[in-house]
């Protein structure tokens, strides 16, 4: 488990986000370290090797989901080359967000269930959006399956407490959430952190930490050195 430090530098070049230098802080008893993952829509691979397929990301939204958080997730990950699907849990693809903006989803969530699995399921917060996401049975099943196979899942703002905690997906894990929702977390030890990563589960506090969280997603997608 580690939390992502706010001190970082990002270089945006043609083709998307191309350089990220996040500084990570390890759990107590481990030394702090930094790393420089490189990634981008047109990543350079070893001579003769085929480019990997884009990572598949599911971003569910509901009436009352948070605009900034949703836009950050979709925008940053698409710039980094991920195949991002914005999915509505509502009857309509056009969804009224928490501040009155309207987002048009790519697909209904039930369609997404037929083309799973995903490399990452990333939940925005916002209210009552997080509660409406939590009530959707298709999304519940997708999240449980994601955790069972050890794949990445993430939530921010109200969503860690409203969605992940009731499903048992934070059990034994450190997590954070919006300050108004941290009391609903079983483990408060890391509640003041901006971003917390613990065994494939990524949580963050809210709109102000959305970019930091998204850069960590991109970092987690970078190819392993061979």
């Amino acid at each position: 488990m580690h939390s992502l430090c706010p001190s970082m530098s990002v270089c945006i070049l043609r083709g998307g986000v191309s350089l990220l230098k996040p500084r990570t802080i390890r759990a107590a008893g481990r030394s702090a370290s930094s790393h420089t993952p490189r990634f981008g829509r047109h990543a350079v691979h070893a001579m003769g090797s085929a480019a990997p397929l884009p990572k598949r990301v599911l971003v569910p939204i509901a009436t009352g989901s948070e605009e900034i958080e949703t836009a950050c997730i979709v925008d940053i990950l698409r710039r980094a080359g991920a195949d991002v699907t914005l999915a509505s849990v509502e009857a309509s693809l056009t969804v009224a967000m928490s501040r009155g903006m309207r987002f048009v989803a790519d697909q209904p969530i039930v369609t997404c269930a037929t083309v799973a699995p995903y490399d990452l399921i990333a939940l925005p917060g916002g209210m009552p959006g997080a509660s409406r996401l939590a009530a959707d049975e298709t999304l519940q099943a997708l999240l449980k399956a994601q955790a069972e196979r050890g794949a990445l899942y993430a939530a921010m703002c109200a969503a860690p407490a409203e969605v992940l905690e009731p499903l048992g997906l934070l059990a034994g894990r450190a997590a954070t959430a919006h300050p108004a929702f941290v009391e609903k977390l079983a483990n408060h030890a890391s509640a003041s952190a901006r971003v917390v990563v613990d065994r494939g589960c990524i949580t963050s506090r809210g709109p102000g930490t959305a970019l930091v969280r998204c850069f960590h997603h991109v970092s987690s997608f970078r190819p392993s050195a061979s």
Side-chain angles (χ1 to χ4, degrees):
M1 180 276 293
H2 64 274
S3 58
L4 195 65
C5 175
S7 111
M8 57 164 50
S9 62
V10 179
C11 178
I12 308 293
L13 299 179
R14 182 165 42 190
V17 181
S18 65
L19 177 63
L20 169 64
K21 293 183 179 179
R23 185 181 169 197
T24 61
I25 298 179
R26 301 291 172 181
R30 301 179 188 175
S31 60
S33 65
S34 62
H35 62 280
T36 309
R38 295 177 181 272
F39 41 78
R41 186 177 296 273
H42 306 293
V44 177
H45 303 280
M47 184 174 295
S49 65
L53 293 174
K55 298 295 184 178
R56 299 181 67 237
V57 180
L58 175 63
V59 182
I61 56 173
T63 299
S65 289
E66 216 289 324
E67 289 94 330
I68 292 175
E69 296 164 8
T70 303
C72 274
I73 299 167
V74 174
D75 184 87
I76 294 297
L77 293 182
R78 283 182 176 168
R79 287 173 186 262
D83 178 7
V84 182
T85 298
L86 188 63
S88 170
V89 304
E90 307 294 349
S92 171
L93 291 181
T94 301
V95 178
M97 308 296 276
S98 63
R99 298 299 182 271
M101 294 179 69
R102 295 183 180 274
F103 283 17
V104 180
D106 302 307
Q107 296 177 356
I109 193 72
V110 291
T111 300
C112 298
T114 67
V115 294
Y118 292 89
D119 296 291
L120 166 68
I121 298 178
L123 311 179
M127 288 296 281
S131 296
R132 295 182 70 84
L133 291 178
D136 187 84
E137 294 182 357
T138 300
L139 179 57
Q140 291 175 18
L142 284 167
L143 285 167
K144 289 177 181 178
Q146 192 81 352
E148 286 172 0
R149 65 187 186 87
L152 293 172
Y153 56 97
M156 66 184 347
C157 193
E162 292 291 309
V163 185
L164 300 185
E165 187 71 59
L167 291 175
L169 300 183
L170 296 181
R173 287 177 167 84
T176 189
H178 189 279
F181 290 85
V182 293
E183 290 302 317
K184 293 186 176 184
L185 300 177
N187 184 347
H188 299 168
S190 301
S192 63
R194 301 183 73 191
V195 177
V196 177
V197 183
D198 194 349
R199 289 169 293 156
C201 175
I202 305 166
T203 54
S204 185
R205 302 196 83 186
T209 63
L211 279 172
V212 179
R213 168 188 146 171
C214 292
F215 291 139
H216 187 86
H217 291 333
V218 178
S219 175
S220 70
F221 287 163
R222 71 190 180 99
S224 300
S226 57

